[in-house]
């Protein structure tokens, strides 16, 4: 009845079961779920807490308690319950996602990205979290993480110009100019194209310079200057190469 969405019949059956056995865990769980949907958070929390005390702990109970804590604005309790849920079932992705969002709101980017990384490894066909990891770790200068997340993202969307540009920079920072050049070249023909192609050309110029191909590096800089003639990084590299 509960899974069919018939709360009234589910509630009646749960009451009948509890009249026979007040400790019956499934009936108690159903009563708690009905309390949640009736917006009686205090009753639901009391029943869920009692189930845990009686040895009927579960991922579902902990995530529900986390949601109730979130509704109450109790972030410490929410965090506690989500961490418990991860321990009970580490292969379920929701707690990692919820913790990542919580830490992000708190301004703790490092912990937010760590949780999002766990989520992304479980939900590997989702492009958005991988892109967020690339952007976040690039801001922190963690180029190894940018490479890992970026390479995973290319299996989901091999034509994302912005992501390819960030991945190219990661290869460059990690000392692989040949792979960086290939990735920058790919970014230039990607659809959608990078918003600022001059930065991709700058990356190409740096890769060519690292490969001792100074003529090609100057040509890439000249192309970059067509759209961003006052870019400080482009001008600095141009002066260095000349």
């Amino acid at each position: 009845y509960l899974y069919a969405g018939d709360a009234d019949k589910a509630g009646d059956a749960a009451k009948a079961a509890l009249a026979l056995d007040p400790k019956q865990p499934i009936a108690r769980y159903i009563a708690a779920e009905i309390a949640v949907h009736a917006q009686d958070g205090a009753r639901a929390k009391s029943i869920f807490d009692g189930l845990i005390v009686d040895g009927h702990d579960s991922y579902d109970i902990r995530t529900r308690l986390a949601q109730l804590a979130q509704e109450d604005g109790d972030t410490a309790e929410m965090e506690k319950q989500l961490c418990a849920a991860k321990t009970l079932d580490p292969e379920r992705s929701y707690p990692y996602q919820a913790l990542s969002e919580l830490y992000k709101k708190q301004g703790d980017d490092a912990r937010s990205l760590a949780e999002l990384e766990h989520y992304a490894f479980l939900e590997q066909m989702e492009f958005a979290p991988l892109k967020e990891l690339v952007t976040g770790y690039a801001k922190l200068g963690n180029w190894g993480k940018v490479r890992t997340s970026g390479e995973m993202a290319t299996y989901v969307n091999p034509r994302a110009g912005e992501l390819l540009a960030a991945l190219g920079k990661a290869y460059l920072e990690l000392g692989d100019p040949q792979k960086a050049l290939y990735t920058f070249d790919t970014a230039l023909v990607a659809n959608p194209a990078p918003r600022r192609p001059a930065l991709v050309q700058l990356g190409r110029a740096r890769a060519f310079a690292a490969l001792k191909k100074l003529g090609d590096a100057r040509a890439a800089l000249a192309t970059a200057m067509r759209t961003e003639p006052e870019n400080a990084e482009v001008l600095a590299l141009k002066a260095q190469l000349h």
Side-chain angles (χ1 to χ4, degrees), residues 25 28-29 32-33 44-45 47-53 55-68 81-82 84-85 88 92:
R28 291 161 71 191
Y29 178 84
E33 282 293 301
K45 185 177 184 304
I47 297 172
F48 285 134
D49 286 340
L51 284 166
I52 293 172
V53 169
H56 302 294
D57 204 352
S58 75
Y59 168 90
D60 290 331
I61 288 175
R62 295 291 185 163
T63 52
R64 186 61 89 186
L65 284 171
Q67 291 165 356
L68 291 170
Q81 298 298 343
L82 289 170
L88 288 162
R92 301 278 284 276

Side-chain angles (χ1 to χ4, degrees), residues 224-237:
M225 293 185 70
R226 289 177 193 150
T227 54
E228 296 192 25
E230 303 299 323
N231 185 294
E233 291 182 274
V234 172
L235 293 173
L237 184 57

Side-chain angles (χ1 to χ4, degrees), residues 161 164-165 183-185 187-188 194 196-205 220 224:
L164 288 167
T183 307
F184 286 129
D185 286 344
L188 289 174
R196 297 176 65 189
L199 297 183
V200 180
Q201 293 292 351
L202 175 62
R204 293 180 73 243

Side-chain angles (χ1 to χ4, degrees), residues 104-168:
K104 186 176 182 179
K105 288 179 182 177
Q106 294 174 346
D108 193 338
D109 291 340
R111 293 180 76 188
S112 175
L113 289 169
E115 295 295 338
L116 186 61
E117 193 171 359
H118 282 291
Y119 176 84
F121 271 92
L122 290 170
E123 303 292 347
Q124 294 187 15
M125 293 309 295
E126 290 189 22
F127 181 72
L130 291 168
K131 183 179 179 181
E132 186 175 345
L133 285 169
V134 167
T135 302
Y137 279 127
K139 288 180 180 178
L140 296 177
N142 191 334
W143 300 109
K145 294 286 190 181
V146 173
R147 177 181 60 191
T148 299
S149 301
E151 288 177 347
M152 288 176 64
T154 60
Y155 284 98
V156 184
N157 183 357
R159 300 188 301 169
E162 293 293 326
L163 183 134
L164 288 167
L167 181 57

